[in-house]
């Protein structure tokens, strides 16, 4: 019963380094999203995808890239890390066919990233 | 431009009493509204939702009310329990099957025994 799996759970980067946050789901969900959580800002949408090969920008996409080559995986790439990207990152997924009463996304447990 | 706003960062209530968490939105294209609950060091978990064509949805101790004219929704928890202490996020999705979900800033609820 894995659900949404995010790796790593913790990461420290130096300014300018690049890295990929991994996200995998085993529920055959079409929709996947990346959010960052910052104090006082709530959860802000970075990028999202409605299916393999289809991605779109959210509220705060700058500095991040995504791709969706398979239904299961939705990695988030930081090309050149900046201290402003210090945050907790959450990946989420849901089925496009979810009923109104089950409309919610399933979230992973998060990746805490610190950029120094 | 914050499209979904939770203007109360925190709320404290006594066990057994009612908790009311509020949320305002600005975009009339939202068609579903959801509430999520988040404990520290965990991802948010889906709590309850409401369609824009309804004004109330109830699930056990949790009821969500929607006032479209005021662009306002609220979550009522009755009775409140200490285990309800968490951060609550309001979220909204757009009409059409876009998969895009916009969150508010969150309200930290503390239920005192």
């Amino acid at each position: 019963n894995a659900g949404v799996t995010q790796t790593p759970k913790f990461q420290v980067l130096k300014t300018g380094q690049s890295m990929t946050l991994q996200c995998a789901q085993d529920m055959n969900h079409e929709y996947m999203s990346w959010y960052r959580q910052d104090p006082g800002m709530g959860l802000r949408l970075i990028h999202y995808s409605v299916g393999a090969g289809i991605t779109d920008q959210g509220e705060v996409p700058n500095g991040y890239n995504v791709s969706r080559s398979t239904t299961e995986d939705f990695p988030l790439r930081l090309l050149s890390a900046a201290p402003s990207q210090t945050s907790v990152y959450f990946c989420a997924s849901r089925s496009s066919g979810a009923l109104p009463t089950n409309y919610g996304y399933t979230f992973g447990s998060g990746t805490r990233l610190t950029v120094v | 431009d914050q499209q979904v706003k939770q203007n109360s960062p925190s709320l404290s209530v006594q066990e057994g009493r009612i908790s009311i968490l509020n949320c305002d939105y600005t975009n009339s294209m939202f068609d579903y509204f959801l509430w999520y609950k988040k404990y520290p060091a965990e991802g948010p978990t889906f709590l309850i939702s409401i369609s824009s064509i309804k004004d109330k949805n109830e699930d056990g101790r949790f009821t969500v009310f929607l006032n479209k004219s005021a662009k306002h929704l609220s979550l009522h928890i009755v009775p409140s329990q200490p285990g309800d202490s968490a951060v609550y996020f309001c979220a909204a999705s757009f009409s059409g099957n876009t998969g895009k979900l916009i969150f508010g800033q969150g309200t930290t609820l503390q239920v005192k025994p």
Side-chain angles (χ1 to χ4, degrees):
Chain A
N1 57 345
V4 178
T5 302
Q6 289 184 238
T7 55
K9 292 191 182 301
F10 302 94
Q11 183 70 50
V12 179
L13 287 179
K14 294 182 179 180
T15 298
Q17 285 185 317
S18 63
M19 80 159 294
T20 299
L21 307 186
Q22 301 292 343
C23 176
Q25 52 93 6
D26 60 359
M27 299 170 283
N28 202 32
H29 284 170
E30 291 87 352
Y31 292 176
M32 296 186 75
S33 297
W34 275 102
Y35 290 87
R36 59 178 289 175
Q37 184 191 8
D38 303 292
M41 303 295 289
L43 292 159
R44 292 183 292 170
L45 181 63
I46 304 172
H47 286 284
Y48 64 105
S49 169
V50 296
I54 306 170
T55 64
D56 205 349
Q57 296 182 350
E59 303 167 276
V60 289
N62 292 340
Y64 307 95
N65 275 1
V66 292
S67 60
R68 185 93 181 272
S69 56
T70 67
T71 300
E72 296 77 19
D73 301 298
F74 191 40
L76 178 71
R77 297 183 188 84
L78 282 71
L79 304 177
S80 178
S84 61
Q85 294 178 304
T86 293
S87 187
V88 181
Y89 292 84
F90 290 100
C91 179
S93 74
R94 77 165 178 89
S95 169
S96 65
L99 297 175
T101 55
N102 187 26
Y103 202 72
Y105 270 90
T106 299
F107 280 79
S109 57
T111 295
R112 185 174 293 274
L113 176 68
T114 302
V115 182
V116 297
Chain B
D1 180 28
Q2 193 83 23
Q3 298 186 71
V4 179
K5 298 180 182 180
Q6 295 175 256
N7 293 317
S8 298
S10 63
L11 175 68
S12 181
V13 301
Q14 207 65 36
E15 180 179 6
R17 306 295 289 270
I18 184 172
S19 295
I20 300 176
L21 295 94
N22 294 303
C23 178
D24 298 296
Y25 63 96
T26 58
N27 197 325
S28 58
M29 295 299 291
F30 290 136
D31 67 343
Y32 271 103
F33 302 90
L34 306 90
W35 285 93
Y36 282 79
K37 178 179 181 180
K38 185 183 180 305
Y39 293 115
E42 295 182 9
T45 55
F46 172 69
L47 191 57
I48 191 170
S49 67
I50 187 168
S51 164
S52 61
I53 63 172
K54 296 187 176 182
D55 55 17
K56 178 182 175 181
N57 186 30
E58 190 172 354
D59 183 3
R61 297 186 296 114
F62 302 93
T63 303
V64 56
F65 295 92
L66 176 62
N67 182 335
K68 282 189 68 176
S69 61
K71 292 189 173 67
H72 177 83
L73 65 156
S74 60
L75 174 68
H76 292 211
I77 306 174
V78 183
S80 300
Q81 299 173 354
D84 296 329
S85 298
V87 179
Y88 289 79
F89 290 100
C90 169
S93 71
F94 290 92
S95 58
N97 222 3
T98 68
K100 190 175 179 179
L101 194 62
I102 304 297
F103 282 82
Q105 304 97 312
T107 297
T108 300
L109 172 66
Q110 181 186 25
V111 180
K112 297 178 179 179

